[in-house]
Amino acid sequence: MSDTAVPDGNKLVFELKTGKVVIELRPDLAPLAAERLKLLASEGFYDGVKFHRVIEGFMAQGGDPTGTGTSGSSYPDLKAEFTNAAKFERGTVGMARTMAPNSANSQFFIMFAASPHLNGQYTIVGQVTEGMEYVDQLKRGSGAGGVVKDPDTIVKAYVEA
């Protein structure tokens, strides 16, 4: 485990080359996932990490240090925290996972548009409250998988009180 203290605030900030994205984390819905994102941001894990999968009209995915979509942090995977108390709408932040429900780790995705088919199937960990226009400017991928060539990155990630 880490020696890093998890910050108190629930505002996760991603500085992109175009501007600052502020995400209001939802520990009321997903306490484990919110804690994980705050811990990783405070450790510098997300600094320089790519948005490796970006699908027009759907979502932008990041959080894999290898930029391939197949890796995560050294921490154990998280238990699923599915809810019906919130929906996948524009700006919703969810935890990416494999087909196994309890496999979320460090990867997340930010919705460009509502996607009701994800409701109750993926952990909702937050909502973009500022800077969605900068998420909209992320370089898009191609093909069904949305893999991005020379993707945009998170310049710096941190937690604000």
Side-chain angles (χ1 to χ4, degrees):
M1 284 309 264
S2 165
D3 293 333
T4 305
V6 177
D8 283 340
N10 284 318
K11 285 189 187 343
L12 177 63
V13 178
F14 291 154
E15 289 183 2
L16 308 181
K17 68 180 181 186
T18 49
K20 187 164 94 167
V21 177
V22 179
I23 297 164
E24 185 69 36
L25 294 175
R26 296 287 311 267
D28 57 317
L29 299 178
L32 300 174
E35 187 89 351
R36 175 66 55 85
L37 292 182
K38 292 189 325 181
L39 173 65
L40 293 174
S42 67
E43 291 179 343
F45 179 88
Y46 291 121
D47 298 355
V49 167
K50 298 170 173 67
F51 282 95
H52 63 273
R53 184 170 176 244
V54 183
I55 300 173
E56 180 65 43
F58 182 41
M59 59 91 217
Q61 184 173 333
D64 174 359
T66 69
T68 63
T70 60
S71 186
S73 76
S74 60
Y75 296 109
D77 288 346
L78 298 169
K79 181 178 159 296
E81 297 176 284
F82 302 156
T83 184
N84 290 317
K87 307 276 185 243
F88 279 94
E89 305 286 348
R90 176 172 165 75
T92 299
V93 181
M95 293 299 289
R97 61 173 177 81
T98 67
M99 295 304 286
N102 298 319
S103 62
N105 186 291
S106 64
Q107 292 189 50
F108 59 86
F109 55 93
I110 303 172
M111 303 305 302
F112 289 125
S115 294
H117 69 281
L118 299 180
N119 295 339
Q121 305 292 315
Y122 287 80
T123 297
I124 293 175
V125 69
Q127 180 71 35
V128 173
T129 57
E130 293 174 45
M132 191 62 198
E133 66 271 25
Y134 305 122
V135 177
D136 288 336
Q137 294 171 32
L138 290 170
K139 186 175 179 184
R140 301 306 199 259
S142 58
V147 176
V148 184
K149 284 188 174 147
D150 192 27
D152 290 316
T153 62
I154 297 168
V155 177
K156 184 166 182 53
Y158 54 92
V159 177
E160 277 184 354

